[in-house]
Amino acid sequence: MIIHRHDVVVVGAGLAGLYAALMTSDKVDTAVVSKVYPTRSHSGAAQGGCAASLGNEVEDHWEWHFYDTVRGSDFLGDQDAQEILVKEAPLVIYECEHMGVPFSRTPEGKIAQRPFGGHFGNFGKTPMRRSCYAADRTGHAQLHTLFEQCLKRGVRLYNEFFLLHLIVRDDRCYGGVAWDLRHGGLHCFHAKAVMLATGGYARAWKITTNSMSNTGDGLSLVLRAGLPLEDMEFVQFHPTGLYRSGILVSEAARGEGGYLINGKGERFMERYAPEKMELAPRDVISRSEQTEIDEGRGINGEAYVHLDLRHLGREAIMEKLPQIHELAWKFAGVDCIEEPIPIQPSAHYAMGGIPTDVHGQVLKDEKKTPVVGLYAAGECACVSNHGANRLGTNSTLDCCVYGRRSGIAMAKFVAEEGELLPDLPEGAAEPARELVTRIFKSKGKERMVEIREQLRETMTENMGVFRTEDSMSKALRVVKELQERYKELSIQDKSQQFNTEFMEAVELGYLLDFVEPIIVGGLARKESRGAHFRKDFPQRDDKNWLKHTLAWKTEEGIRLGYKPVVITRFPPEERKY
Amino acid sequence: MPTRRFKIFRYNPHTDERPRYQEYEVQVPTGSTVLDALNEIKWTQDGTLTYRRSCRHGICGSCAMTINGANMLACEAQVHTLKRDPIVVEPLRSFPVIKDLVVDMDGFFDKLLLVKPYLIVKTPPPTDKERYQSPEDRKLLDGAYECILCGACTSSCPSFWADKEFLGPAALLKAYRFIFDTRDEGVQERLDVLDNKHGLWRCHTIFNCVEACPKGLNPTWAIGELKKKVISEKF
Ligand SMILES: Cc1cc2nc3c(=O)[nH]c(=O)nc-3n(C[C@H](O)[C@H](O)[C@H](O)COP(=O)(O)OP(=O)(O)OC[C@H]3O[C@@H](n4cnc5c(N)ncnc54)[C@H](O)[C@@H]3O)c2cc1C
Ligand code: FES
């Protein structure tokens, strides 16, 4: 097996991973490992923008952004982390601009800002423009700029290398083992510091906005290493996925003034969030839509409602929402200047993930004991910035702020570690070797597509916008069954070169692992908070449930633990929009 | 449900003596894209069929390929708009094949690197603030910053077929994106690579790239602007 040695190995080349690499690469030897070419990372799909209280268009202050983020998270976010997120937001936006991000501009030439759901002025009272954007291609513009800077600085990139195993022993991480997709074969990455920036997981649902590569790999690798995941039951459903495909129509469409209309032609948000209407947070809107659909007020009684942009006019649509116009046309056959767009709630974002401290260092228990040499940031991590529900435009921000912070922390850690790499533990790569052998050699009769599609259907049906004891128990039964069937999986492609069937098989294994804490955590949490809504427990219950879930994978199934929420400034209050 | 026939290029240079074409028949519900059809084949008929994909909505640039002779993104190509039967699917031409529809894009990205695809600044930016740029100046980047690096343009360019050292439309469009960014101060550093027989002057305005670009961008026009710029910088 080929062994690569670097001071820092970053797994993932989205916004979080690349930002971190830019922070370490001029100080210590840095490599980025990614299963897709960096510019293919999911971050490029982010459309709407990146939040920061620049105040370029209207008065704004980080305290207001702080309050919105805390309230948006339904008070489950850790306020120490959230304060850092919003305070450092202007800094990372300016840094992005300095690196070359082609932001849209105000008439005076400042970075332009637009309204976005859940963001207000004066502690929730007035309208706000906080989202910095590059038309509706903000993530694309940021991702390409960070990538370009990595090229400029000569960051070592291992593209199309697929991580199969994380080497963790006795609370220390030593590196990981990856599969070289192009040529086949295992490579060991031996490092002083490893960072996971592997992104989201929503491919576990049938209707999702996510890229096909968003299979939650980092989450399952952490579980398999005996470490916990945090708050996994909190899954964001985006209110405007295209009907059937789930392809995202950015919230910018509502930020710019789009209406939501039901089958009776009503702007139904009047019933659910009379003040904030279409700019209420995502969890509130998704539930409203689902209620309309469930009560037969979808369009023609079907499982979708309309997003209507027609009143904005051709010019505004083409100037500010060109990509939405293109997407609606190409994937729904709708010209949104003339017709409304059919949409439905779609699995979108992971609020939970790998627990970390505010420097990105991974934590292994309720007492917040750190794992030496292991870091995580971006969507796969849970600091927790987003608690029970994330505000739009706070995620790319999270990637930048916490990717950056992790990079700084890793550079410091490596400098303190001294010259020598710690020796690799005995048999470090064995689990990866076994995995490869098992999948290539298996003669089992199970087919990938059946297991995967059944999983995705179950998750959409039973772990969706609304949940109950029954639906979640059913999901758990199905998942257990599918995990057993997965052991009998075999693939047809036995070649070493660019074996995407092998990759999909491993990814399916990842999906089946991380969904279990989502379900078990959701079953245990007998309340409704943010994106976790239980019809059988429709109220938030701060007395019993104002705490973070931790979930470990054990021989006997998922073991749960809890840790307190950090509250520094805003005590929990009722969340009304 | 309607079905369609697909004739797909298959080749693994490590194991096959020569490429072949394989036919599949696939159900295509209304609204199916070529990527949906490829997935259907891979997942239900032939797990060995190999292609790149990720975002499935035309933003990641993974899935450019040749469909009925034209370069497109498989995830954007609506099956019902493709009249020829069977639908012929091939890898992007003039890039080495790794396997089936997956091509080696290292050379493509190496070219990109040559034009120094990053903002070059000599004046330090203001601290704690953005640099200002007027909306008019920012508009100069529209039609260039949207490039998704899928390779459809460069692969369609006859000048690139004839001269593998030609930078190609994608790299040149990237050069445009920076040279026409009012914040950039690196024109001189990029001139040598551009003003060269494998650079700008190899483009003979054949416009294939414009037709191939799935994002509706116009590299030929950008190359024209760069030519003017280079001449004005020199004299
Ligand atoms: C359609 C859409 C639109 C969005 N719009 C916005 C928006 O406007 N504003 C906002 O703030 N947020 C938005 N979000 C959310 C935001 O885009 C994501 O949360 C964020 O980009 C995640 O970035 P990341 O760096 O964590 O991971 P990603 O960009 O997803 O990158 C993950 C990286 O990890 C690598 N990787 C994964 N697994 C492995 C493995 N096993 N081996 C090797 N490499 C691996 C991948 O190759 C990839 O490079 C949107 C999300 C979606 C789905
Ligand atoms: S899959 Fe991303 S462009 Fe086609």
Side-chain angles (χ1 to χ4, degrees), chain A residues 36-37 39-42 44-45 47 54 56 91 94 96-111 134-137 140-141 144-145 147-149 151-152 160 182-183 203 208-214 245-248 319 323 326-327 329-332 447-449 452-453 456 492-501 503-504 507, chain B residues 10 12 14-15 30-31 33 35 39 41-63 75-78 98-99 102-106 108-109 112-113 117-121 125-136 138-139 141-142 144-151 174 177-178 181 183 214-216:
Chain A
V36 300
Y37 196 81
T39 56
R40 319 288 185 222
S41 298
H42 181 76
Q47 301 171 1
L54 305 185
N56 282 355
L91 170 90
Y94 294 143
C96 281
E97 195 283 325
H98 296 164
M99 287 193 265
V101 173
F103 285 111
S104 297
R105 300 286 175 156
T106 66
E108 312 100 284
K110 298 181 190 171
I111 293 171
D136 54 4
R137 297 189 181 87
H140 169 84
H144 280 248
T145 301
F147 172 63
E148 290 154 6
Q149 291 295 314
L151 292 179
K152 183 176 181 186
E160 306 192 314
R182 180 154 169 189
H183 305 94
R203 289 308 292 187
T208 172
T209 61
N210 280 203
S211 297
M212 296 175 74
S213 52
N214 282 12
S245 69
I247 289 172
L248 183 75
E319 170 77 23
Q323 196 183 191
E326 183 186 325
L327 286 178
W329 178 244
K330 284 187 173 151
F331 301 102
R447 301 285 305 273
M448 191 140 54
V449 64
R452 189 175 54 210
E453 295 318 304
R456 298 179 65 205
Q492 293 172 299
D493 192 347
K494 307 284 183 192
S495 67
Q496 295 280 301
Q497 296 77 29
F498 223 96
N499 193 328
T500 51
E501 197 188 19
M503 177 155 93
E504 287 187 18
E507 288 174 337
Chain B
R10 305 296 314 269
N12 180 347
H14 281 265
T15 51
T30 338
T33 62
L35 179 61
N39 287 338
I41 295 169
K42 184 172 184 68
W43 296 339
T44 64
Q45 301 183 29
D46 184 351
T48 67
L49 180 64
T50 302
Y51 47 93
R52 287 193 183 97
R53 84 290 179 275
S54 186
C55 72
R56 54 98 166 93
H57 66 266
I59 190 70
C60 77
S62 300
C63 70
C75 68
E76 288 193 341
Q78 289 284 336
I98 293 177
K99 188 165 150 191
V102 173
V103 293
D104 179 352
M105 296 196 58
D106 286 354
F108 175 83
F109 286 111
L112 194 71
L113 203 54
Y118 34 78
L119 199 69
I120 299 177
V121 286
T127 39
D128 296 338
K129 219 172 159 12
E130 70 268 56
R131 263 176 305 233
Y132 283 19
Q133 182 177 46
S134 73
E136 296 71 39
R138 166 61 183 75
K139 233 187 164 64
L141 308 183
D142 283 344
Y145 88 95
E146 300 92 325
C147 171
I148 58 173
L149 300 176
C150 69
K174 192 56 106 179
R177 180 252 170 275
F178 285 103
D181 191 326
R183 302 170 296 176
K215 299 288 101 182

Side-chain angles (χ1 to χ4, degrees), chain A residues 11-17 33-36 41-43 45-49 116 161-163 197-200 209-210 214 217 248 348-349 377-380 390 392-397 399 510, chain B residues 57:
Chain A
V11 185
L15 288 179
V33 174
S34 174
K35 68 177 176 179
V36 300
S41 298
H42 181 76
S43 289
Q47 301 171 1
F116 234 76
F161 274 72
F162 177 41
L163 191 71
T198 52
T209 61
N210 280 203
N214 282 12
D217 306 6
L248 183 75
H348 183 60
Y349 183 83
E379 191 168 339
C380 70
R390 168 178 74 90
T393 67
N394 264 357
S395 166
T396 50
L397 176 65
C399 292
Y510 292 144
Chain B
H57 66 266

